[in-house]
Amino acid sequence: MRQLGQTHTAFWCERVVYETFEPDSPAQVSRCSRSNPAEAVRAIRVDVRAIKDTLAPAERERALRWTGHGGSLGAVAALYRGEPCGFSLSSEGRWIEWTVRPYLAFDVSELSLLPLKRPKFHQSVRPGR
């Protein structure tokens, strides 16, 4: 178990859907954090499998090959090495990119986020006092 304030590696996951093949046209962005490489890659695999029926045959084959461990195992290995990974597909005229990047995170107590005492510089000052 981690101690409060101790840093650990977490994994930032993003999925960006572009309505066209132009990089300036993001239509939807989703983000989440996962606690280990396997969970991060599993999130991509679940998304890819959810859209597999909308893919052209060549893209579907590539997607199923990646989700069936070929590419996803390499992605997990890259994350364990501290390297980013990603996967992309075209679907119904859209371009979808998934990326995962390791980052340093730390845990804090929920209580430490609450002010215990109002700081003096926030107290109102009355004229003449």
Side-chain angles (χ1 to χ4, degrees), residues 10-24:
F11 300 88
W12 188 250
C13 308
E14 291 186 339
R15 179 185 66 197
V16 181
V17 179
Y18 298 92
E19 286 301 320
T20 67
F21 292 110
E22 298 297 321
D24 296 336

Side-chain angles (χ1 to χ4, degrees), residues 84-98:
C85 70
F87 186 66
S88 57
L89 289 170
S90 62
S91 171
E92 299 177 328
R94 298 175 300 162
W95 185 252
I96 307 168
E97 293 180 348
W98 293 267

Side-chain angles (χ1 to χ4, degrees), residues 17-66:
V17 179
Y18 298 92
E19 286 301 320
T20 67
F21 292 110
E22 298 297 321
D24 296 336
S25 65
Q28 180 187 27
V29 179
S30 327
R31 297 177 178 104
C32 67
S33 179
R34 300 288 188 229
S35 61
N36 65 60
E39 286 181 18
V41 173
R42 186 177 305 116
I44 296 174
R45 291 172 64 200
V46 167
D47 275 356
V48 171
R49 286 183 181 145
I51 65 166
K52 72 177 172 30
D53 293 334
T54 68
L55 302 173
E59 284 290 89
R60 183 180 310 119
E61 182 181 326
R62 193 167 74 82
L64 293 175
R65 200 170 46 243
W66 191 87

